[in-house]
Structures are given as C-alpha cells and as structure tokens.
Amino acid sequence: MSERPPVGGLGYEQARDELVEVVRALETGGLGLDETVALWERGEALAKRCEECLAGARERVEKALADAEAED
C-alpha cells in the first residue's frame, strides 16, 4: 500500500475499497507489529469514515422523503 490520502477526504467508495485492502493485508499476515498496528488503526478510521458517509446519505434520503411528503 503506497502513500495514502487522509481518511477524512475520502468518499464512501474510496474508503470502502481501501478498507478491503487493509483487511486482506491483515488476514494475509507476515507483517511486523508496527505495520500491523498502523494498518489496524487505518482500518478503524476507514470503517468510521464509511459509517459517516452512510449516515450522511441516510439523512439526505430522509430529508428528501420528508420534503416530498410535505409537498403532497
């Protein structure tokens, strides 16, 4: 895994795809302790970012539904 952008700037798909890579690397093993911990921390941050993106999408859908209902 090369130079990685800050997690906060990633969209859902980017964060999800990188999280899959992190999980694969951790499952494969063969990494040193420091690299394993760093990957684990990155994975936790990526998972949180995915949750944030999904929560934002959920809010947008709920607002759109509420707005449509108010128009009726």
Side-chain angles (χ1 to χ4, degrees), residues 1 4 7 15-16 18-23 26 35-51:
M1 299 178 84
R4 293 172 266 192
V7 172
R16 180 203 59 213
E18 187 179 337
L19 181 56
V20 168
E21 291 177 27
V22 167
V23 170
L26 290 170
E35 190 174 2
T36 299
V37 171
L39 272 176
W40 179 267
E41 291 170 337
R42 179 75 176 184
E44 287 290 327
L46 290 164
K48 182 178 179 186
R49 180 65 182 149
C50 287
E51 290 173 6

